[in-house]
Amino acid sequence: MRVNFTVNGRQQEADDVWEGESLLYVLRERMGLPGSKNACEQGECGSCTVRLDGVPVCSCLVAAGQVEGREVVTVEGLADYAKQRAEHGGCATGTCGTSLDAAKSWEARPLDGQAGEQGELSPIQQAFIDAGAVQCGFCTPGLLVAADELLERNAEPSDADIREALSGNLCRCTGYEKILDAVRLAAARQEEAV
Amino acid sequence: MAQHPQVATAPAGTPTNLSQGSKTKGGIGESTLRPDGTLKVTGEFAYSSDMWHEDMLWGHTLRSTVAHAEIKSIDIGEAVAMPGVYAVLTYDDLPTEVKNYGLEIQDTPVLAHGKVRHHGEPVALVAADHPETARRAAAKIKIEYAELPLITDEASATAPGAILVHEGRDDHHIGHVPHPNIVHRQPIVRGNADEAAARADVVVKGEYTFGMQDQAFLGPESGLAVPSEDGGVELYVATQWLHSDLRQIAPVLGLPEEKVRMTLSGVGGAFGGREDLSMQIHACLLALRTGKPVKIVYNRFESFFGHVHRHPAKLHYEHGATKDGKLTHLKCRIVLDGGAYASASPAVVGNASSLSVGPYVVDDVDIEAIALYTNNPPCGAMRGFGAVQACFAYEAQMDKLAAKLGMDPVEFRQLNAMEQGTIMPTGQPVDSPAPVAELLRRVKAMPLPPEQQWLAAGEEADVRALPGGLSNTTHGEGVVRGIGYAVGIKNVGFSEGFDDYSTARVRMEVVGGEPVATVHTAMAEVGQGGVTVHAQIARTELGVTQVTIHPADTQVGSAGSTSASRQTYVTGGAVKHTCEKVREKVLELGRRKFGSYHPAWATAELLLEGGKVVTDGGEVLADLVDVLEGDAVDLELEWRHRPTEAFDLVTGQGHGHVQYSFAAHRAVVEVDTELGLVKVIELACAQDVGKALNPLSVVGQIQGGTTQGLGVAVMEEIIVDPKTAKVLNPSFTDYLIPTILDTPTIPVDVLELADDHAPYGLRGIGEAPTLSSTPAVLAAIRNATGLELNRTPVRPEHLTGT
């Protein structure tokens, strides 16, 4: 079947999609967007978390056909999504997403863990790097999408709020302490910026 | 108000031989950020399962549905006939006479031949144009099994007339094991445990059971094999040791090693589970057969069968002590279940036995550790490697002894704590700081979390802070608190005479008007942060800011394994050593070009700092740009730590270990005694790291290791049906690892007492925190409930007696 949907602000069309294929498979193997990770593929680990019409979901549990006509934001579009949100105060208009030019700017940066001068990273992405919340990094994309959504609806989350919001995302490397640090850091920076 | 990331506290002892030329920004001792961090947060970092190639096929493995059986027949007819299927391979298709592989003993079949020895053993391979096609084709392969009796424990393995898991063994352990179903046996006898026991005023005995833990790294086993024009193959794969893989892969493929070119792709965690091969040979076989690139990605179900696990163990311990609290003797027997294939079992036995006494002074010991061959899932390397199981038992014993003597458990441990100069049960003196009593003092001194945290003044109970959490199972009634302590000792690096070297290639040149160093090693970055630290070392030694880390591949010499807490020590040591030699060459170059301009070139100690050549008095002699202009310095060198020796097979004596690392934990738990639910409130750790090359990464490693120990204390276990030897919970639905709700605050106190024998005085850090967190949590649960609890993980039924 053919599936039409929006990914990170760009209209996409996937052909010859088998009915059983997940959104995760279509993103990773057909769209060339491997940022959403395939750790358990049964909705237990949260590594494949994306926003579907704004709602965080495990993309491994969403059948590709279910996204027809809908909007998906993955970790690859997170920086632009956050930027648009900061500029427009929300993303309900469907203007959030990544332009082709912006997509081309996603290149390896030379300095350790530093974003380029344009600051392409979203606050939560930079906070994860700064707080040491990235080790092997396999859980990171899903955690970033979930944490960004938390901060969107709760600018000053308590530790209990953070733990509750991220309880669907497994991390095997960090012991979570630095992930908590990162979310607190992003929230504090957000507060300073306002 | 946000709390900013916590970094290591200031060192207690200030080592004298650690810092050198740290004026270059981003050198050792700084919390430099990861060079791969940006790629990892944008989703661009290419993990092994993200690899893609034009015209790529998907490989799939068919695995045995029974644990022990003869294979009567395999019919691949229907599978081969399916549209989209390019190849179906069985044992008969292996191209050479080499059909097995293994880390030490080559007993693991690439594909089962004649019989299967464990549930999930690979039997056949399929390559197809869609992963689902490959899976469906594999399901159409018909295998006829004739089931055999099962060997599942020590009794069945050594029973008279027991079936041998491996007939006709010819490995080098067979001569000294009491039964062919025992992989390896290591006794350690020192002093006279029987005579010493007579001096004991109290004796405690215990039998402990340690469940089978899984590494549960998030990035599944995966990789891409691409056939090359010269008949060889390129393999992009997530592994812990490229050269070890290469040594095992090439003979099976019938290719010389230079025709198997391996490159490390992104590794989503490892923890020992990627020391053994998984899909490497399978992908190469399919690629060479089809002439097309083949990608294999395990799903989580298959991942549980695709790697070895932590050895489950039965531990029998007897300790004695005098009434003034001094340990008299230790008698122990540790039985590790190695499963169907040897993997790292011999080395795990060596560690379990030589570290079975823990970080304590006991002069009279009688120790035995064995690993069994059974039809259970194969077990091998996992973080802590034999020392974890022992620590669980000896720490429970310490609490029992302290209770029997009416002593404080921490003071009892401190009274018996080893220190620098203590002789290990293997006869080896501990020749670097061993701050066991101090680490215990530090965790005990940390402030305790407030009682009844679920109650905030004037508000209703916040159930999220209670055992059971959002399940709303209690509002605090029946909840009791307990506190427990534990400390452990782990060896660093490969032991028992292993030639544990690493290789680094370092190049210095001018690029774009700046001096740049390139560091090339075959070290597997599995998340631990080696890439960060290598750049820090190069900056420190070479005085440059710009350091490029070359991708890890087999075009440079071996770096050894990213395991045994060894990589910063050994490959970090190799980078340091090579940088020192590069520095000498750079200075020679400088002398040739500029030596006549200033006498200090010939007379002073010269350093490279901040992009310049400077004297030890701080006088600048030249810019590195000018020294290097038109030239490049490039060296590839090997580096070794001090040699070790094998343990004597009868007495266990020998200088077997290079270095030890120590960590202590204090656990605070709350237990709902009615439902048997445990919430760990806090898990504080104090660890000696020798020198924190990157404090941010050090703390991250300690917290991660602590959490894996917490997992095995209260939830993690691969459950194998004792009747069928089948794995009952191969999924993240049924195999539980701690979530952020299960994991408490983990305050970390980092001590830095330099080991004079190690580069910069550093100590391997990754494994020690996994040892003591499990027994600390158990001790806290015992403290809360008064129950004996000799098994891990603790389950609700153990707490409620149901």
Side-chain angles (χ1 to χ4, degrees), chain B residues 454-471:
Chain B
W454 61 85
L455 290 178
E459 290 176 29
E460 279 187 38
D462 183 347
V463 293
R464 295 179 296 188
L466 281 160
L470 288 164
S471 304

CSV table of all heavy atoms in Angstrom, one decimal, chain B residues 454-471:
chain,number,residue,atom,x,y,z
B,454,TRP,N,7.3,10.0,51.3
B,454,TRP,CA,6.0,10.2,50.7
B,454,TRP,C,5.1,11.2,51.3
B,454,TRP,O,4.1,11.6,50.8
B,454,TRP,CB,5.4,8.8,50.5
B,454,TRP,CG,5.0,8.2,51.9
B,454,TRP,CD1,3.9,8.4,52.6
B,454,TRP,CD2,5.9,7.2,52.6
B,454,TRP,NE1,4.0,7.6,53.8
B,454,TRP,CE2,5.2,6.9,53.8
B,454,TRP,CE3,7.1,6.6,52.3
B,454,TRP,CZ2,5.7,6.0,54.7
B,454,TRP,CZ3,7.6,5.7,53.3
B,454,TRP,CH2,6.9,5.4,54.5
B,455,LEU,N,5.5,11.6,52.6
B,455,LEU,CA,4.7,12.5,53.3
B,455,LEU,C,5.3,13.9,53.2
B,455,LEU,O,6.4,14.1,53.7
B,455,LEU,CB,4.5,12.1,54.7
B,455,LEU,CG,3.7,10.9,55.0
B,455,LEU,CD1,3.7,10.6,56.5
B,455,LEU,CD2,2.2,11.1,54.5
B,456,ALA,N,4.6,14.8,52.5
B,456,ALA,CA,5.1,16.2,52.6
B,456,ALA,C,4.1,16.9,53.5
B,456,ALA,O,2.9,16.5,53.6
B,456,ALA,CB,5.0,16.9,51.2
B,457,ALA,N,4.6,17.9,54.3
B,457,ALA,CA,3.7,18.5,55.3
B,457,ALA,C,2.4,18.9,54.8
B,457,ALA,O,2.2,19.7,53.9
B,457,ALA,CB,4.5,19.7,55.9
B,458,GLY,N,1.3,18.4,55.5
B,458,GLY,CA,0.0,18.9,55.2
B,458,GLY,C,-0.6,18.4,54.0
B,458,GLY,O,-1.7,18.8,53.6
B,459,GLU,N,0.1,17.5,53.3
B,459,GLU,CA,-0.5,17.0,52.0
B,459,GLU,C,-0.8,15.5,52.1
B,459,GLU,O,-0.3,14.8,53.0
B,459,GLU,CB,0.5,17.3,50.8
B,459,GLU,CG,0.6,18.7,50.5
B,459,GLU,CD,1.6,19.0,49.4
B,459,GLU,OE1,1.8,18.1,48.6
B,459,GLU,OE2,2.2,20.1,49.4
B,460,GLU,N,-1.5,15.0,51.1
B,460,GLU,CA,-1.7,13.5,51.1
B,460,GLU,C,-0.4,12.8,50.7
B,460,GLU,O,0.4,13.4,50.1
B,460,GLU,CB,-2.8,13.2,50.0
B,460,GLU,CG,-4.2,13.4,50.6
B,460,GLU,CD,-5.2,12.9,49.5
B,460,GLU,OE1,-5.0,11.9,48.9
B,460,GLU,OE2,-6.2,13.6,49.4
B,461,ALA,N,-0.4,11.5,51.0
B,461,ALA,CA,0.8,10.8,50.6
B,461,ALA,C,1.0,10.8,49.1
B,461,ALA,O,0.0,10.6,48.3
B,461,ALA,CB,0.6,9.3,51.1
B,462,ASP,N,2.2,11.0,48.6
B,462,ASP,CA,2.6,11.0,47.2
B,462,ASP,C,2.9,9.5,46.9
B,462,ASP,O,4.0,9.1,47.2
B,462,ASP,CB,3.7,11.9,46.9
B,462,ASP,CG,4.1,11.9,45.4
B,462,ASP,OD1,3.6,11.0,44.6
B,462,ASP,OD2,4.8,12.8,45.0
B,463,VAL,N,2.0,8.8,46.3
B,463,VAL,CA,2.2,7.3,46.2
B,463,VAL,C,3.4,7.0,45.3
B,463,VAL,O,3.9,5.9,45.3
B,463,VAL,CB,0.9,6.6,45.6
B,463,VAL,CG1,-0.2,6.7,46.6
B,463,VAL,CG2,0.5,7.2,44.3
B,464,ARG,N,3.8,8.0,44.4
B,464,ARG,CA,4.9,7.8,43.5
B,464,ARG,C,6.2,7.5,44.3
B,464,ARG,O,7.1,6.9,43.8
B,464,ARG,CB,5.1,9.0,42.6
B,464,ARG,CG,4.0,9.2,41.7
B,464,ARG,CD,4.2,10.4,40.8
B,464,ARG,NE,4.3,11.6,41.5
B,464,ARG,CZ,4.3,12.8,41.0
B,464,ARG,NH1,4.3,13.0,39.7
B,464,ARG,NH2,4.4,13.9,41.7
B,465,ALA,N,6.3,7.9,45.6
B,465,ALA,CA,7.5,7.7,46.4
B,465,ALA,C,7.4,6.4,47.2
B,465,ALA,O,8.3,6.2,48.0
B,465,ALA,CB,7.7,8.9,47.3
B,466,LEU,N,6.3,5.7,47.0
B,466,LEU,CA,6.2,4.5,47.8
B,466,LEU,C,6.4,3.2,47.0
B,466,LEU,O,6.3,3.2,45.8
B,466,LEU,CB,4.7,4.4,48.3
B,466,LEU,CG,4.4,5.3,49.5
B,466,LEU,CD1,2.9,5.5,49.7
B,466,LEU,CD2,4.9,4.7,50.8
B,467,PRO,N,6.7,2.1,47.7
B,467,PRO,CA,6.8,0.8,47.0
B,467,PRO,C,5.5,0.6,46.3
B,467,PRO,O,4.4,0.8,46.9
B,467,PRO,CB,7.0,-0.2,48.1
B,467,PRO,CG,7.5,0.6,49.3
B,467,PRO,CD,7.0,1.9,49.2
B,468,GLY,N,5.5,0.1,45.0
B,468,GLY,CA,4.3,0.0,44.3
B,468,GLY,C,4.0,1.2,43.5
B,468,GLY,O,3.3,1.1,42.5
B,469,GLY,N,4.5,2.4,43.9
B,469,GLY,CA,4.4,3.6,43.1
B,469,GLY,C,3.0,3.9,42.6
B,469,GLY,O,2.0,3.8,43.4
B,470,LEU,N,2.9,4.2,41.3
B,470,LEU,CA,1.6,4.6,40.7
B,470,LEU,C,0.5,3.5,40.8
B,470,LEU,O,-0.6,3.7,40.5
B,470,LEU,CB,1.8,5.1,39.3
B,470,LEU,CG,2.5,6.5,39.2
B,470,LEU,CD1,3.0,6.7,37.8
B,470,LEU,CD2,1.6,7.6,39.7
B,471,SER,N,0.9,2.3,41.1
B,471,SER,CA,-0.1,1.2,41.2
B,471,SER,C,-0.9,1.5,42.4
B,471,SER,O,-1.9,0.8,42.6
B,471,SER,CB,0.6,-0.2,41.3
B,471,SER,OG,1.5,-0.4,40.2
